Amino acid sequence: MTCRLCRARRLEPVLTLERAPRDVSHLLTPEQASDDAPIRLEVLRCAECRHVQLARDQEAAYYEDYLMTVSHSPQMRAFQQAQAEDLVTRFGLAGRRVIEVGCGDGNYLGILRELGVDASGIEPSARFRDVATAAGHRVHLGYVTAADPAPEGPYDAFVTREVFEHVPDPNDFLQGVRRSLTDDGVGLVEVPSLEQALEHHRFFDFFPDHVNYWSAATLARALERNGFLVLDITRGMNGEYLEARVRVDTGRDLVALAASVAPLRDALRALLAECAGDGRRVAAWGSGAKGLASLAEAGGEGIRYVIDSDPHKQGRLTPVTHLPVVGPEQLRTDPVDVLVLTALAYRDEIIEQLRGPLGFGGTIAVLGAPLELLDS
């Protein structure tokens, strides 16, 4: 067997249960009980990506006859209501098309529709689909895979709750979800929390119905390798569930990052040229990584020195620009008119020091595109 997530072959046994039920979602009739017997359940962990999984798959027919609901619980209804409200508000989904993958009895579809969402579902259980359609919901029968994305797509968003732990091929499933969405698509993935089982030593959280056991780290890894940016992962329902909120990763963030180089570089160069033209003296504050990288890209022509409070850096030169690094007291003996602030993490502290004890009354240019100019 290979890892369901990364396909590595180094799987280590971490838990064996000798008397596990064959499944935990079907109670038995007296006639069925006579043929019932426990099974051996082996839980493995991938030595490469740390994903925890079972050594067996649940039979596909199991899901086609599945019928188990928690919508009768007031606590669960309140949890789902709050979760759905947050999702719709956060992503502005009112009036948008949303697909719930594995929608069960349609209870969550009803909540989304009450919030103004154009919601539909896909569900492999014919019994569940019958319940959901009888309640007036649009529900397709089947599975989502890379070869078969959700019908009638693309959708603006997706929800999949308590499904991903059942999926034998998580990569194929997520690729199918991704192919069901627009390039601006967002979504919510909810799974049982492996952390909850580990923190409370709960061997009984492992059973044949769940073939994957997701931690926050492995859930993020699965989503990221299959075309999603993870916005956050939180724990809900008293820590029982992980909730991952995601959006489609089309690489637009990296394109925007690359496009940001020229505006910042040119803004710094324009400021230095303007100061040189009207005789204003310029210094910079911060010889940390951000300062060194930005000054190297823009060039240090016109900058007299770089201030840094760290005495270990003082007396050295910056790479590429070869500017002297000095202490803050240099402002008193060799004053300037404009100071470029590059140590962004310490912005407030530095501005307070400049305007207070150091008595700097000139312009502070905070690194960014555009530059933020703070006059006294």
Side-chain angles (χ1 to χ4, degrees), residues 32-199:
Q32 293 170 328
S34 61
D35 295 325
D36 184 47
I39 64 169
R40 186 174 187 271
L41 193 71
E42 189 174 17
V43 182
L44 309 173
R45 181 177 61 188
C46 176
E48 301 293 334
C49 74
R50 314 303 283 176
H51 180 46
V52 176
Q53 55 213 281
L54 292 192
R56 67 189 294 272
D57 289 340
Q58 185 57 265
E59 296 177 5
Y62 159 84
Y63 299 108
E64 293 160 11
D65 189 41
Y66 190 82
L67 186 64
M68 186 176 69
T69 178
V70 293
S71 56
H72 60 276
S73 163
Q75 179 180 347
M76 178 58 74
R77 288 199 302 270
F79 171 73
Q80 291 179 353
Q81 182 73 36
Q83 183 191 72
E85 289 175 358
D86 174 76
L87 183 72
V88 172
T89 301
R90 178 185 299 212
F91 295 123
L93 296 179
R96 309 293 292 277
R97 299 182 70 231
V98 178
I99 183 76
E100 183 177 10
V101 182
C103 65
D105 64 356
N107 176 69
Y108 205 83
L109 291 177
I111 296 174
L112 290 173
R113 288 175 62 179
E114 289 174 359
L115 294 171
V117 174
D118 181 7
S120 55
I122 183 167
E123 170 58 48
S125 167
R127 297 176 67 194
F128 254 154
R129 180 179 179 272
D130 290 344
V131 174
T133 54
H137 301 299
R138 298 191 308 274
V139 179
H140 304 281
L141 184 63
Y143 296 88
V144 168
T145 67
D148 293 298
E152 300 181 4
Y155 294 88
D156 300 304
F158 78 97
V159 175
T160 186
R161 303 165 31 261
E162 306 302 304
V163 170
F164 200 34
E165 64 273 16
H166 296 272
V167 176
D169 189 338
N171 296 300
D172 183 58
F173 175 79
L174 288 177
Q175 289 164 25
V177 172
R178 168 62 187 88
R179 290 191 57 204
S180 304
L181 302 174
T182 66
D183 285 345
D184 294 318
V186 296
L188 168 72
V189 178
E190 177 193 292
V191 293
S193 167
L194 176 61
E195 286 88 349
Q196 188 84 336
L198 299 179
E199 290 164 6

